[in-house]
């Protein structure tokens, strides 16, 4: 884990540059001390926007990204004591289905992460710092995982029909579930999900393998196999129904795949070249066993692996 940049959270919005390299994730950690009798929350940390080549590929609140992280990976760091210390963490993952995708970043890519800290004030916080880390990982960059937030407003017993303005939708995360009753998802004209919010929450808790069952969010996974062909879509439509008990205003965090063929070739070649250098060093040092195994794994005949 390599630290890329840091900032004072009391200095307004933080623009955190991402250093050159290959990373499986970008990790954000906020830590500091509350003012007397004050308690900072994840909601106070505001919105995260990530940029690649000057274009945003993520726009989601810190609090909602923590819920997404809990479903994608595991327990997130979120602690704050009145008048005492606070720590909050979240991840921007490069891979959406354990397919080995990575962020391949060069200086020319102008990659950075911005946090607006919209609810952070000196009344609440005595001192605090945000740190951005990269998780070094070799691999090929097939795509950028886009993560954008939408919030429909649905009257009690009402219906909202919403076309997702993105192609190649892989997952849809739902948070702020109050009064959300029924969810239908159609993918390219075919029914994909027809279920109550309660049923989706129950299934998602099993499917995402969360440590403790969530009541605040669930996921609809449109790319369960991780295959590129399954991720392809041109038309994803949601029909959301609110219960009779009141209006619903769920947050929809939509993950869509933005393919990067040029980066795929560049990053794959870079990994292959680096591997060749390491194998040559081993061979020159007479340490032939890793070279032999690598050739066998690649399918080379046993005779050529000597």
């Amino acid at each position: 884990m390599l630290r890329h940049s840091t900032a004072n959270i009391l200095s307004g919005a933080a623009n955190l540059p991402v250093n050159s390299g290959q990373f499986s994730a970008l990790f954000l950690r906020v830590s500091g001390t509350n003012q007397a009798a004050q308690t900072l929350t994840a909601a106070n940390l505001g919105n995260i926007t990530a940029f690649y080549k000057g274009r945003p590929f993520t726009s989601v609140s810190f609090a909602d990204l923590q819920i997404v992280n809990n479903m994608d990976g595991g327990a997130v760091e979120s602690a704050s004591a009145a008048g005492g210390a606070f720590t909050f963490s979240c991840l921007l993952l490069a891979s959406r289905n354990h397919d080995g995708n990575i962020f391949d970043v060069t200086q020319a890519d102008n990659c950075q992460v911005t946090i607006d800290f919209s609810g952070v004030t000196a009344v609440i916080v005595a001192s605090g710092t945000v740190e951005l880390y990269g998780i070094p990982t070799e691999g090929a960059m097939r795509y950028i995982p886009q993560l954008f937030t939408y919030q429909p407003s649905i009257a009690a017993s009402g219906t909202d029909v919403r076309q997702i303005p993105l192609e190649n939708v892989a997952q849809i995360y739902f948070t702020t579930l109050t009064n959300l009753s029924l969810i239908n998802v159609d993918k390219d004209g075919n029914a994909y999900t027809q279920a109550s919010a309660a049923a989706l929450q129950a299934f998602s808790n099993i499917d995402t393998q969360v440590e403790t069952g969530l009541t605040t969010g669930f996921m609809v996974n449109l790319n369960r196999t991780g295959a590129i062909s399954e991720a392809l879509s041109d038309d994803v439509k949601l029909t959301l129904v609110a219960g009779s008990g009141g209006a619903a205003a769920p947050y929809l965090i939509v993950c869509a795949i933005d393919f990067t063929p040029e980066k795929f070739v560049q990053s794959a070649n870079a990994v292959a070249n680096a591997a060749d250098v390491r194998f040559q060093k081993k061979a020159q040092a007479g340490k032939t066993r890793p070279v032999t195994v690598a050739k066998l794994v690649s399918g080379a005949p046993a005779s050529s692996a000597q």
Side-chain angles (χ1 to χ4, degrees), residues 240-256:
L240 308 177
V241 180
S244 60
Y251 282 89
L252 316 178
I253 299 101
V254 178
C255 178

Side-chain angles (χ1 to χ4, degrees), residues 163 172 211:
Q163 207 81 23
I172 306 172
E211 290 88 349

Side-chain angles (χ1 to χ4, degrees), residues 44-305:
N44 293 132
L45 301 177
N47 202 68
I48 298 170
T49 308
F51 297 87
Y52 183 81
K53 292 186 180 294
R55 294 174 51 204
F57 68 88
T58 292
S59 181
V60 62
S61 73
F62 197 108
D64 278 339
L65 186 54
Q66 286 195 313
I67 297 174
V68 170
N69 286 166
N70 196 356
M71 288 186 267
D72 283 343
V76 295
E77 181 183 41
S78 188
S80 186
F86 59 78
T87 52
F88 300 94
S89 299
C90 64
L91 275 174
L92 292 173
L93 291 169
S95 171
R96 296 310 308 168
N97 273 299
H98 308 290
D99 56 10
N101 190 63
I102 55 96
F103 295 118
D104 185 275
V105 179
T106 66
Q107 188 174 1
D109 293 325
N110 190 25
C111 186
Q112 68 175 14
V113 179
T114 298
I115 311 179
D116 64 19
F117 294 122
S118 57
V120 174
T121 69
V123 173
I124 303 173
V125 173
S127 63
T129 301
V130 57
E131 299 170 296
L132 173 67
Y133 294 85
I135 311 303
T137 309
E138 281 192 354
M141 182 172 170
R142 303 175 180 88
Y143 58 84
I144 297 175
Q146 300 174 309
L147 207 64
F148 292 112
T149 305
Y150 306 91
Q151 188 182 27
S153 181
I154 315 167
S157 301
T159 299
D160 180 269
V161 178
R162 182 165 298 264
Q163 207 81 23
I164 300 299
L166 299 168
E167 62 178 337
N168 308 324
V169 174
Q171 291 90 23
I172 306 172
Y173 300 85
F174 292 74
T175 68
T176 312
L177 306 177
T178 303
N179 294 323
L180 184 61
S181 178
L182 298 172
I183 296 97
N184 290 348
V185 180
D186 293 337
K187 178 181 177 182
D188 290 334
N190 298 309
Y192 190 86
T193 297
Q194 295 176 336
S196 68
L200 284 169
Q201 179 72 85
F203 172 71
S204 180
N205 282 340
I206 299 172
D207 191 41
T208 60
Q209 303 180 46
V210 290
E211 290 88 349
T212 302
L214 295 176
T215 59
T216 55
F218 58 79
M219 175 182 67
V220 174
N221 192 350
L222 284 78
N223 187 207
R224 300 189 65 83
T225 66
I228 288 178
S229 58
E230 187 185 38
L232 300 179
S233 64
D234 296 300
D235 179 16
V236 173
K237 182 176 72 174
L238 303 182
T239 303
L240 308 177
V241 180
S244 60
Y251 282 89
L252 316 178
I253 299 101
V254 178
C255 178
I257 303 302
D258 184 8
F259 291 100
T260 55
E262 292 183 2
K263 265 292 184 180
F264 173 71
V265 173
Q266 293 171 7
S267 56
N269 286 341
V271 170
N273 291 339
D276 285 343
V277 170
R278 289 196 289 268
F279 283 128
Q280 287 171 12
K281 287 183 177 179
K282 287 290 186 182
Q284 290 168 1
K287 300 175 180 178
T288 60
R289 289 186 297 173
V291 180
T292 301
V293 171
K295 288 182 177 180
L296 290 169
V297 169
S298 70
S303 59
S304 69

